[in-house]
Amino acid sequence: MALLVILTALPIGFLWHQSAERVVHHTIEHTYQHASQAVIHHLNEFFTNANKVYEHQDRIQTTLNTTVESREALLNHITTVLNHHNQIDYFYFANTEGGLLSVGHQADNQYYLIESDSAQAGNLSRFTSDHSGFKGQLLETTASFDARDQAWFQNALKTNEPVWSNIYIGAFDPTLLGITLSKAQRDENGKLLGVWGLDLTLNTVNQELNKRKLSQAGDVVLFYDNQIILASTSQTHIAQSGEFPLINQTTAPILDSLIKVDNDKGNSLVLVEHQGKQWAGFISDYNLGKDHLAKIAFYSPLTDFAPELGTAQRVAILLTIVLMLIAILLGKKAARHIRQPIQALTQAAEQISKGRWGSKITITRDDELGTLAESFNKMQHNLEQTIFKLDNQQQETKRLNALLEQQNLELEARVKARTQELSNANSKLHEMAYFDALTGIANRRYFWQQLDDKYAKQRGWLLIMDIDDFKQVNDAYGHIEGDNILKHFTMTCLEVLPENCLFGRIGGEEFALWLKEVPRSTVEQITQQLLSQLERKPYRNNGISVVISTSIGASRCSTQPQKSYAIADSLLYEAKLNGKNRAVIEHDE
């Protein structure tokens, strides 16, 4: 009899332990599933935003054909796109001569300008920069770079749609690994003008994985081919000299064990032993780009997530011991009882062991066996209530996890929308504060501010230009054509003016130009080139053809820009009096 009750107590304790353990494992598995879906969602956002860049460029295709012909216009377009798409690390354009113009930023929010010498194949230099593409300090130069030899350039020529490249090593930083979405730029006749490219580096992916770590001791890893680690939260998995780390028992022993146990099943909890600890892992599939099937792995020590599992094990052992002691005592006192009450106990125990917690012993006796039956029924009732509470706790955990996930998604959406609103507002304020809305060059306030802040201590030349007879042109053709003529005048000037000058619109048809210190003969040469270019390129639109000319006054720019402006303005007036379409330049002292 005692042996029978003991054998009954053992499976009850075992079932208690197994039930608690299943609840913990099920909760961990759901947690991993939610984290995996969050990583996949954000990675998909990166690739979706990259394609949106080219969807927008398709709508301004004709304008881009002109933009890529001017370095200043091209640089302005590149920085505008980069500042509106934070997920993009680099955005660039390669021309048909192998030259490259690129702007990008990295995790420290440091901007870089990368540019080919003479806008063609040859030396490629990297400079410090800001969000507007301003060329700062030279960092390094690499020789013999030809964009036409790059795989992303060649792939773009095969289709009219954006195309993803294979993962490649950075031109300057061999530890910087990325993937490129490139697209060819062609004119209305199908002639190739160059290739656009935008990079998403694996540093960006590492940042996203770090946000999704579920415990301090655990890690999140993105890998493919079951052996190559692309990105990881572990410092031991960082690429060295452009080479991806491989998954093995030396570099990633826990992940190697998880892959072997998982056996490509995926999307289920996997348990492995490592250095005396039990680790819980989860592996799910992810399409990296278009042609790369990768996997995302989460793993952490089981103790990080399930301290209650140890408690459940101790309670189950204690319960089993208590039941065994009771069984031994009752067995000694019930030795004289016959088979019928024993069968009743056995049947009830079997029902309970099968999970039928409502089964009770129907024995009504005043002796020890009756007391045992009553105690057994009480134990059954308590066990049934405990199992019921555990089930309710499991359902409540599921509900709270789902609610927390929903709240996190809603919060992320609100934060993202607010961030986008602030970014758009900042970009608009920056444009309104510093640039002329019509011509796109520096406005009056920004021009004088730059002159006072950056160039006041440098010797140079200040040129004041005023379009000749602009009022008559406005009266003859209307203000719309007048605005178009101002834009035409600006673009013609930018074709002639040197790169390191400061050019702005300071009045209706009045423009100002600052040049660094050069001989007077050079200033004379630049002004003559400008006058000749205006004469060669009249404004034409809908049958209208207008030759634009300008009068120019040029003075040496000292530490008092306002005084230099007064001199240049008087020389401009002299040019007007002497017949216009000419430049009057201050003589050397």
Side-chain angles (χ1 to χ4, degrees):
M1 183 68 179
L3 180 62
L4 178 62
V5 179
I6 291 173
L7 294 176
T8 303
L10 287 174
I12 291 175
F14 178 76
L15 287 173
W16 176 288
H17 171 264
Q18 290 296 316
S19 177
E21 190 174 49
R22 282 197 302 271
V23 170
V24 173
H25 289 178
H26 189 66
T27 301
I28 295 173
E29 183 175 27
H30 274 275
T31 302
Y32 276 144
Q33 285 176 343
H34 293 319
S36 176
Q37 290 302 313
V39 171
I40 291 173
H41 173 73
H42 283 277
L43 291 178
N44 285 337
E45 277 191 345
F46 292 162
F47 294 106
T48 300
N49 285 334
N51 281 286
K52 285 183 179 179
V53 171
Y54 291 123
E55 291 176 4
H56 170 71
Q57 294 206 155
D58 286 341
R59 294 192 289 270
I60 59 171
Q61 186 72 15
T62 303
T63 303
L64 287 179
N65 290 342
T66 305
T67 299
V68 298
E69 297 177 356
S70 166
R71 179 192 179 277
E72 297 302 324
L74 177 59
L75 182 60
N76 180 64
H77 176 73
I78 288 174
T79 55
T80 298
V81 171
L82 190 66
N83 291 328
H84 281 78
H85 296 273
N86 294 330
Q87 291 86 355
I88 299 173
D89 294 306
Y90 285 87
F91 187 47
Y92 44 89
F93 179 80
N95 60 34
T96 55
E97 295 181 357
L100 180 75
L101 180 62
S102 172
V103 179
H105 57 76
Q106 294 181 5
D108 57 357
N109 206 26
Q110 173 64 54
Y111 285 81
Y112 298 97
L113 172 68
I114 300 175
E115 187 174 17
S116 298
D117 294 353
S118 304
Q120 60 186 10
N123 291 345
L124 185 68
S125 301
R126 183 166 73 122
F127 304 85
T128 60
S129 180
D130 58 15
H131 68 277
S132 63
F134 177 81
K135 183 185 293 184
Q137 178 185 358
L138 175 64
L139 298 177
E140 53 190 322
T141 300
T142 181
S144 303
F145 179 85
D146 191 338
R148 296 169 297 187
D149 296 335
Q150 305 302 310
W152 54 265
F153 189 102
Q154 297 293 331
N155 291 341
L157 302 183
K158 300 175 183 178
T159 176
N160 291 325
E161 300 297 327
V163 58
W164 287 103
S165 71
N166 289 324
I167 296 173
Y168 69 96
I169 302 171
F172 290 99
D173 185 357
T175 67
L176 191 64
L177 306 172
I179 183 171
T180 296
L181 183 65
S182 57
K183 186 177 187 298
Q185 176 74 27
R186 304 179 188 275
D187 63 14
E188 295 83 355
N189 300 320
K191 178 183 177 182
L192 180 67
L193 301 179
V195 173
W196 297 97
L198 57 85
D199 286 355
L200 301 175
T201 66
L202 293 184
N203 286 349
T204 303
V205 179
N206 279 330
Q207 295 173 25
E208 178 58 29
L209 296 184
N210 272 297
K211 296 177 184 177
R212 303 299 166 183
K213 283 186 64 172
L214 299 181
S215 71
Q216 186 65 30
D219 283 306
V220 188
V221 181
L222 177 67
F223 65 97
Y224 71 92
D225 290 342
N226 278 354
Q227 60 178 347
I228 300 176
I229 298 176
L230 301 178
S232 173
T233 59
S234 173
Q235 293 299 317
T236 62
H237 299 164
I238 297 176
Q240 300 293 333
S241 301
E243 294 291 334
F244 291 106
L246 300 179
I247 299 173
N248 51 50
Q249 282 296 320
T250 300
T251 60
I254 300 173
L255 182 56
D256 184 59
S257 299
L258 285 173
I259 293 173
K260 292 176 180 177
V261 175
D262 181 72
N263 196 25
D264 289 332
K265 294 179 181 178
N267 296 315
S268 60
L269 190 67
V270 180
L271 301 176
V272 297
E273 293 286 339
H274 178 69
Q275 294 182 349
K277 284 186 178 181
Q278 192 172 38
W279 291 70
F282 186 88
I283 300 176
S284 60
D285 293 337
Y286 176 67
N287 289 318
L288 181 62
K290 183 179 180 181
D291 301 319
H292 301 287
L293 177 62
K295 294 178 182 292
I296 302 173
F298 294 79
Y299 54 89
S300 298
L302 192 60
T303 54
D304 285 4
F305 297 101
E308 66 274 20
L309 183 59
T311 302
Q313 291 173 333
R314 290 191 293 272
V315 171
I317 293 173
L318 180 60
L319 177 64
T320 302
I321 293 174
V322 170
L323 290 176
M324 290 175 63
L325 292 175
I326 293 174
I328 292 173
L329 293 174
L330 292 177
K332 289 181 179 180
K333 295 180 180 181
R336 67 180 182 273
H337 286 260
I338 58 177
R339 185 169 55 185
Q340 183 177 0
I342 294 176
Q343 288 178 340
L345 280 170
T346 303
Q347 291 174 357
E350 288 177 350
Q351 293 298 317
I352 293 175
S353 68
K354 294 177 181 178
R356 298 172 184 172
W357 312 110
S359 300
K360 295 184 178 181
I361 301 174
T362 57
I363 298 177
T364 56
R365 297 176 62 149
D366 296 328
D367 57 7
E368 293 83 358
L369 190 57
T371 302
L372 175 61
E374 183 179 354
S375 300
F376 195 93
N377 287 335
K378 289 181 180 179
M379 180 192 69
Q380 173 273 332
H381 177 73
N382 291 334
L383 184 60
E384 182 179 12
Q385 292 297 316
T386 301
I387 296 299
F388 179 77
K389 289 180 180 179
L390 283 175
D391 289 338
N392 287 341
Q393 290 174 358
Q394 179 183 358
Q395 295 301 320
E396 181 64 12
T397 300
K398 290 181 180 179
R399 187 187 70 81
L400 291 176
N401 286 338
L403 179 60
L404 179 60
E405 180 185 9
Q406 180 63 31
Q407 291 175 343
N408 286 339
L409 291 175
E410 291 174 357
L411 179 58
E412 288 176 1
R414 290 196 296 269
V415 170
K416 181 179 179 182
R418 183 56 179 166
T419 301
Q420 185 62 43
E421 290 174 2
L422 291 175
S423 177
N424 293 340
N426 287 336
S427 298
K428 187 63 177 180
L429 288 174
H430 181 271
E431 181 178 350
M432 293 172 63
Y434 297 117
F435 297 99
D436 179 54
L438 178 63
T439 62
I441 60 176
N443 60 22
R444 179 186 182 91
R445 183 171 69 88
Y446 186 59
F447 180 85
W448 292 117
Q449 177 186 326
Q450 289 292 299
L451 197 60
D452 288 337
D453 293 347
K454 293 186 177 181
Y455 306 115
K457 296 182 181 180
Q458 301 182 36
R459 293 185 60 83
W461 290 85
L462 178 63
L463 282 69
I464 306 299
M465 297 180 285
D466 187 87
I467 299 176
D468 295 330
D469 303 320
F470 184 72
K471 184 178 184 305
Q472 289 85 335
V473 173
N474 242 357
D475 294 342
Y477 301 108
H479 291 288
I480 294 178
E481 292 296 339
D483 288 347
N484 291 335
I485 288 172
L486 287 174
K487 291 190 283 186
H488 175 77
F489 176 80
T490 301
M491 293 301 296
T492 304
C493 290
L494 290 174
E495 293 173 358
V496 174
L497 298 178
E499 290 184 7
N500 54 358
C501 68
L502 177 63
F503 185 43
R505 182 186 178 197
I506 62 173
E509 65 270 21
E510 188 175 10
F511 295 78
L513 171 67
W514 180 89
L515 297 172
K516 69 178 183 179
E517 176 63 19
V518 293
R520 184 180 184 278
S521 58
T522 302
V523 178
E524 183 177 5
Q525 180 183 3
I526 292 173
T527 57
Q528 290 305 314
Q529 288 177 347
L530 177 57
L531 294 173
S532 299
Q533 185 76 347
L534 288 170
E535 184 177 355
R536 287 195 301 269
K537 295 185 66 174
Y539 170 75
R540 292 188 175 93
N541 185 33
N542 295 329
I544 298 173
S545 179
V546 181
V547 176
I548 304 170
S549 66
T550 182
S551 297
I552 306 172
S555 69
R556 289 192 174 275
C557 190
S558 64
T559 57
Q560 296 178 311
Q562 298 301 326
K563 181 179 179 180
S564 301
Y565 172 76
I567 296 172
D569 192 53
S570 65
L571 295 175
L572 168 64
Y573 182 69
E574 182 180 339
K576 292 285 188 180
L577 292 178
N578 290 334
K580 305 177 182 178
N581 192 26
R582 66 190 64 238
V584 178
I585 305 171
E586 182 181 8
H587 289 282
D588 295 332
E589 297 178 356

